Amino acid sequence: MLLGISGSLRKEATNRKLLRIAARLYGGPFTEADLRLPLYDGDLESESGIPPAVETLAAQVAQAEAVILATPEYNQSLSGVMKNALDWISRTPGTPWLGKPVAIMSAAAGRAGGARATYALRLAMAPFRPRFSSGPEVLLAASSGQFDPTGDLTNERALKTLGEAMETLRREARG
Ligand SMILES: Cc1cc2nc3c(=O)[nH]c(=O)nc-3n(C[C@H](O)[C@H](O)[C@H](O)COP(=O)(O)O)c2cc1C
């Protein structure tokens, strides 16, 4: 199973749309994570333990053959929603990210397509020692204008790069 994690919660998120196209290109079963988690709070953790939604997410990461993380760029960094999820997962037992094939990408409004957000996300992921994919960078600039009403990616160049990235990730995950 391929797991997709979008750092944007909104229904029409271009990061979510990008993930869905990526999953189609990757092939096989796809699960989309739900990052509607409580904000990390040590009191909540000590009083109620790990929230069920976090346990579900950590189990999905552990079970996935590969994970795609797609983050919007917020003020030159990754979204708080994404960082909150990473912090929560780090509080669960086990090491679900260790050695996991992971591809990082971004869809953003700016001309750089979220380049700074993907660097920030890479740094945020480093403590968990995943296996970062060696595929080409997928940075979708001016993302709100790159999809048609059915959610298809209309930018041929981006589609080609995404295809190469998914081919690399699949090869790395399946050997
Ligand atoms: C708080 C905030 C900060 C933002 N900062 C940036 C930024 O630094 N660079 C950028 O390219 N876009 C920035 N944007 C625009 C987002 O890239 C844009 O809203 C993007 O479409 C969000 O992804 P989504 O479509 O998946 O929700 C910002 C948006 C918000 C809400």
Side-chain angles (χ1 to χ4, degrees):
M1 173 270 283
L2 174 72
L3 180 67
I5 302 182
S6 166
S8 174
L9 296 176
R10 67 192 189 95
K11 219 166 33 263
E12 290 296 315
T14 53
N15 280 279
R16 202 192 293 284
K17 290 178 184 174
L18 186 63
L19 278 179
R20 289 181 183 159
I21 309 277
R24 202 194 299 160
L25 293 167
Y26 186 94
F30 173 60
T31 300
E32 209 179 305
D34 182 1
L35 297 198
R36 286 186 189 279
L37 312 172
L39 284 176
Y40 178 75
D41 174 349
D43 290 340
L44 173 68
E45 185 184 14
S46 39
E47 284 156 23
S48 323
I50 303 291
V54 174
E55 282 181 346
T56 299
L57 178 60
Q60 287 171 335
V61 172
Q63 283 157 19
E65 68 175 37
V67 182
I68 310 173
L69 296 162
T71 184
E73 182 163 278
Y74 287 172
N75 302 306
Q76 306 184 2
S77 193
L78 71 160
S79 68
V81 163
M82 182 69 89
K83 183 66 167 70
N84 184 54
L86 299 182
D87 289 338
W88 265 124
I89 294 169
S90 77
R91 303 299 293 166
T92 63
T95 50
W97 292 113
L98 187 65
K100 187 72 62 183
V102 163
I104 286 176
M105 56 188 68
S106 181
R111 269 184 304 170
R116 291 164 295 198
T118 60
Y119 276 120
L121 179 52
R122 208 181 164 98
L123 284 179
M125 282 295 293
F128 315 128
R129 295 166 56 203
R131 188 173 159 203
F132 291 114
S133 180
S134 60
E137 280 188 315
V138 178
L139 301 169
L140 192 63
S143 65
S144 63
Q146 307 288 3
F147 297 90
D148 72 15
T150 70
D152 269 334
L153 186 56
T154 53
N155 181 324
E156 289 298 325
R157 220 168 116 203
L159 194 60
K160 185 166 174 284
T161 306
L162 189 58
E164 286 167 17
M166 290 303 98
E167 195 185 319
T168 305
L169 182 65
R170 196 171 53 236
R171 203 173 47 242
E172 288 165 346
R174 297 186 185 163

